[in-house]
């Protein structure tokens, strides 16, 4: 594995796990939001994309922005220090 692929693979795994905050954002919404969408005749996919995700993004936006700043700093560190030097 080249140092570049090691840094990319590591940052992808780390940031992918941290950005699982979307699930927490959807679960933080009141159950009545989903129930209202189902009462309007929406299927689960329509309710998720139309109603729930639009509200969840507002909840998790500060976390996403701060994680993107951390990713920017980590890529600069990965550029200067190679994967082998970190291990």
């Amino acid at each position: 594995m080249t140092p570049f692929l090691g840094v990319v693979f590591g940052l992808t795994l780390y940031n992918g796990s941290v950005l699982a905050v979307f699930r927490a954002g959807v679960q933080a919404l009141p159950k009545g939001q989903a129930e209202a969408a189902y009462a309007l005749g929406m299927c689960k996919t329509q309710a998720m994309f139309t109603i729930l995700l639009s509200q969840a993004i507002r909840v998790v936006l500060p976390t996403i922005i701060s994680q993107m700043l951390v990713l920017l700093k980590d890529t600069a560190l990965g550029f200067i220090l190679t994967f082998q030097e970190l291990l």
Side-chain angles (χ1 to χ4, degrees), residues 31-43 46-48 51-52:
K31 280 190 140 195
Q33 299 292 327
E35 291 172 359
Y38 299 144
L40 289 173
M42 294 184 180
C43 66
Q46 287 175 324
M48 182 64 72
I51 296 175
L52 299 177

Side-chain angles (χ1 to χ4, degrees), residues 46-83:
Q46 287 175 324
M48 182 64 72
F49 284 110
T50 306
I51 296 175
L52 299 177
L53 279 182
S54 62
Q55 294 178 25
I57 287 175
R58 292 182 189 146
V59 172
V60 298
L61 194 61
T63 306
I64 294 170
I65 291 173
S66 67
Q67 188 58 36
M68 290 302 121
L69 291 174
V70 168
L71 176 64
L72 181 66
K73 292 190 306 185
D74 289 346
T75 53
L77 181 65
F79 177 74
I80 294 171
L81 300 174
T82 61
F83 177 68

